[in-house]
Amino acid sequence: MAVRPLQPSFDDLGVPLSEATFVVVDLETTGGAADSEITEVGAVKVRGGVVLGEFQSLVRPSSPIPAMIQVLTGITNQMVASAPPASTVLPAFAEFAAGAVLVAHNARFDTGFLRRGYEELGLAWPRPTIVDTVAIARTALLRDEVPNCKLATLARHFGADTEPNHRALSDARATVDVLHGLLERVGSLGVHTLDDLAEFALQVSPDRRAKRVWAHSAPERPGVYYFVTDSVDADGVPRRETLYVGKSTNLRRRVRSYFSAAEKRGRIHEMVRVATAVEFVECATDLEAEVRELRMIESLAPRYNRRSKRQRKVMWLKLTDEAFPRLSIVSRVRDDAATYFGPFTNREAADDAALTLYDAYRLRRCTTRLSARRASPACALAEMGRCLAPCQLGEAAERYGAVTAEVEESWLTDVRPVLRSVQGRMNRLVGQERFEEAGELAERMRSYYRTSLRFHRIRSLALCPQLVAAVPTGRGWDIHVIRYGRLAAATAAPSARARSAADEAVAAAETVPRPVGGQPAGSVEEAERIAAWLEQPGVRFIETQGDWAWPLGIGLAEGELAAELLGQEPLPAG
């Protein structure tokens, strides 16, 4: 459903400033260094322009106050000698400020000391909303109005009743008057809520804030959202372009964030400025939202999405179906008798995997189609002993068939022989202290191993005609029907209806033809998202057709990969 700009209400935009409770705080300290300590805390609690209470206490530091600080603040060592320590003052302040918005002039300084003091005392920092009057003043006031944003300057500008004098409570009272003056000033600029105030301080544009009302009609449920722009072409025909597609477990909360200070991506700022509306597709489950997002990005190719736009642009290693098979890098799996391994995200990764296999198995690298009856001249690699030279026929040709069978087996059942093939070279490099080369070789083998895991993760799904699985949630059960690695149906149901809902989902599920070559029916990325969902704790299988399983020799225990590469026993756990 498209949502057009409407007049925003306070309910849409957050807590009205008139209803917010502020605690305006000021600290005096022994200095600004990391080991400096608090010497005084002053705070004023206000709401709706009315003072609700004040807090003031000197604090006894563990070391003397420097002479220059005594002159600046007027707080002497004698004054704090009988004062309570921070361990007494800070818990009392925490109780005074509980649940309120913290306000300070140059807030990073004061909140930094408070947070460190809380941590030293074992108090949990409550992560309050923080308002910095310096940041607001810099945005709200013009240069010709005030020469700077010091507290004394702003207090004079707004006619504060209290003159700041480097004592905590006096400075806090002056900051209250400055805060009220600033709130009156920014109110005429459309700043009416806490969210507005935070975004104003970070210079979020009014146009962007005004669009937050678009989120008002979004459900607080999982789904997909997409920003669009409407225009008219040269022939006067209306045209709609999808700019960006995203997903969320809570559509309203996520879409609102695009119009707040939390969103810092430059290209997204531009996208929001260009957009004329946002639309939503509510989904039954979080996984359905993830999959719908992937499919929409793939089909619509929105210009502001960066990820998942090339989901099917992957590479595969192919062991060709001919008299003397060879490795070939291809962009898709065909319905033929060849064996495939992958996928790889780019050709360079596929080249590295091919090099790993050439080193391990002495496969031929020539692209010539060899005859099984007529010998051909051997190449330089054969003379160097790096190819079995099946082109020469005879014993070499007979041995070559066993080697290609080993390659197939390493792909389909056991990755460890490939990993072990570098043990001699790895140990020589380590022994010669050529650690950089050893590291590069180890990284290439880790990459090959990760590809093997990825291959079997998606292949195990792609070979299952149907999986019906469910996971418990706070509202009941999320149920999914998965066919050949593609999400065919999704539903959510209360616990009492879980079984019947699963049967209904199966009956209504998308018909998915069996894919070729053991690849998933959907994109690789979709299959990986489904696999991640199936692997989470608590998933229950209602029905399985096929075997969702990996061969035993594919996965390694933690720490075992290094042992395979070096030929050493893995270190014991712990």
Side-chain angles (χ1 to χ4, degrees):
M1 176 175 63
V3 181
R4 303 293 182 179
L6 301 171
Q7 177 63 37
S9 68
F10 288 163
D11 289 339
D12 296 332
L13 301 181
V15 179
L17 292 172
S18 60
E19 297 178 12
T21 300
F22 298 97
V23 168
V24 183
V25 63
D26 184 81
L27 305 180
E28 301 302 330
T29 68
T30 60
D35 59 349
S36 297
E37 299 177 75
I38 299 171
T39 58
E40 187 178 28
V41 178
V44 181
K45 183 183 295 186
V46 295
R47 183 173 62 237
V50 178
V51 175
L52 303 179
E54 292 186 341
F55 179 96
Q56 188 277 333
S57 178
L58 290 169
V59 181
R60 185 176 74 247
S62 61
S63 57
I65 302 172
M68 288 187 62
I69 300 297
Q70 293 186 56
V71 172
L72 177 66
T73 65
I75 300 174
T76 65
N77 289 317
Q78 184 178 2
M79 291 171 61
V80 299
S82 59
S87 59
T88 300
V89 176
L90 289 184
F93 172 76
E95 184 177 352
F96 177 79
V101 178
L102 278 188
V103 181
H105 198 72
N106 191 17
R108 179 178 292 184
F109 178 87
D110 298 277
T111 58
F113 270 92
L114 286 173
R115 185 167 189 167
R116 189 177 68 190
Y118 277 41
E119 291 173 353
E120 290 174 352
L121 296 175
L123 299 174
W125 179 246
R127 301 177 65 86
T129 298
I130 296 172
V131 172
D132 188 347
T133 48
V134 171
I136 298 171
R138 285 174 177 165
T139 304
L141 302 179
L142 303 176
R143 285 292 182 90
D144 58 359
E145 292 183 90
V146 291
N148 56 59
C149 290
K150 294 179 180 178
L151 180 58
T153 302
L154 297 179
R156 285 193 299 271
H157 179 74
F158 288 111
D161 293 332
T162 305
E163 182 178 350
N165 60 1
H166 293 292
R167 290 299 301 270
L169 186 57
S170 296
D171 287 4
R173 289 169 174 168
T175 304
V176 169
D177 291 335
V178 169
L179 173 67
H180 288 157
L182 289 170
L183 293 184
E184 184 177 350
R185 178 66 176 267
V186 301
S188 62
L189 301 176
V191 176
H192 302 294
T193 69
L194 282 176
D195 288 344
D196 289 341
L197 190 63
E199 291 155 16
F200 181 86
L202 293 172
Q203 300 183 0
V204 178
S205 70
D207 288 345
R208 191 163 135 226
R209 291 202 308 271
K211 289 182 177 180
R212 192 191 305 167
V213 71
W214 289 1
H216 179 56
S217 297
E220 295 191 80
R221 288 192 46 79
V224 175
Y225 58 90
Y226 52 105
F227 288 86
V228 299
T229 182
D230 293 302
S231 59
V232 179
D233 64 19
D235 297 325
V237 178
R239 179 175 175 269
R240 167 162 286 196
E241 178 190 358
T242 299
L243 299 172
Y244 184 85
V245 177
K247 53 84 182 171
S248 177
T249 58
N250 186 311
L251 285 169
R252 182 178 299 178
R253 184 171 61 238
R254 182 68 184 99
V255 173
R256 270 187 67 177
S257 72
Y258 281 87
F259 313 111
S260 72
E263 180 54 70
K264 302 184 186 301
R265 293 171 292 176
R267 79 181 193 285
I268 298 300
H269 290 181
E270 178 183 306
M271 183 274 295
V272 172
R273 179 175 56 81
V274 173
T276 56
V278 63
E279 300 185 356
F280 315 100
V281 177
E282 188 173 347
C283 297
T285 69
D286 296 346
L287 178 62
E288 183 189 3
E290 289 190 53
V291 170
R292 279 187 180 272
E293 178 198 34
L294 289 175
R295 293 178 185 175
M296 289 179 68
I297 291 173
E298 182 181 25
S299 62
L300 298 172
R303 56 174 148 142
Y304 287 98
N305 282 94
R306 288 183 176 174
R307 298 165 61 179
S308 305
K309 293 175 77 170
R310 297 168 56 86
Q311 296 174 43
R312 298 181 193 269
K313 299 295 183 181
V314 294
M315 310 301 293
W316 301 81
L317 275 183
K318 175 181 180 179
L319 192 60
T320 58
D321 179 29
E322 53 185 305
F324 301 111
R326 60 184 177 83
L327 293 178
S328 176
I329 298 175
V330 297
S331 59
R332 63 174 182 157
V333 176
R334 297 182 180 276
D335 189 10
D336 55 22
T339 306
Y340 294 83
F341 179 75
F344 302 91
T345 54
N346 52 56
R347 188 177 183 90
E348 181 181 1
D351 282 331
D352 283 345
L355 182 60
T356 297
L357 292 168
Y358 289 138
D359 290 344
Y361 290 107
R362 293 200 295 164
L363 292 167
R364 73 183 184 97
R365 305 192 193 188
C366 57
T367 59
T368 307
R369 193 168 188 86
L370 301 179
S371 171
R373 298 179 180 178
R374 185 175 65 255
S376 304
C379 64
L381 288 174
E383 296 175 3
M384 295 167 60
R386 302 185 65 180
C387 173
L388 284 174
C391 54
Q392 298 288 286
L393 302 183
E395 182 182 352
E398 294 175 3
R399 291 171 55 199
Y400 194 81
V403 168
T404 55
E406 288 178 20
V407 173
E408 277 195 12
E409 185 177 1
S410 75
W411 286 356
L412 300 177
T413 63
D414 195 345
V415 72
R416 291 172 295 181
V418 177
L419 303 178
R420 293 168 182 168
S421 68
V422 300
Q423 288 179 358
R425 184 179 171 192
M426 282 288 293
N427 282 290
R428 282 195 302 274
L429 291 173
V430 172
Q432 296 168 6
E433 298 186 358
R434 295 159 64 184
F435 299 119
E436 186 174 345
E437 293 176 63
E440 291 175 356
L441 178 59
E443 181 53 38
R444 177 149 60 87
M445 300 308 292
R446 276 193 293 269
S447 177
Y448 185 91
Y449 173 64
R450 287 193 294 267
T451 300
S452 179
L453 292 179
R454 190 183 191 198
F455 173 67
H456 284 279
R457 193 183 194 207
I458 63 175
R459 178 182 169 84
S460 62
L461 277 178
L463 294 177
C464 289
Q466 181 165 288
L467 296 173
V468 184
V471 68
T473 67
R475 55 185 180 267
W477 291 83
D478 284 356
I479 303 167
H480 298 105
V481 180
I482 300 149
R483 291 174 174 170
Y484 298 116
R486 179 181 173 88
L487 184 63
T491 189
S495 299
R497 287 201 68 251
R499 182 67 212 203
S500 60
D503 293 339
E504 292 167 7
V506 170
E510 172 189 359
T511 299
V512 179
R514 183 184 183 91
V516 301
Q519 66 174 340
S523 70
V524 168
E525 200 167 341
E526 177 177 334
E528 289 181 309
R529 299 286 181 93
I530 293 171
W533 182 84
L534 288 170
E535 292 161 5
Q536 67 178 320
V539 170
R540 309 285 200 276
F541 282 86
I542 299 173
E543 178 187 346
T544 59
Q545 294 179 18
D547 297 322
W548 184 53
W550 292 11
L552 185 63
I554 295 302
L556 301 177
E558 186 175 354
E560 194 174 340
L561 177 60
E564 294 288 354
L565 298 181
L566 292 169
Q568 302 171 353
E569 290 294 323
L571 295 174

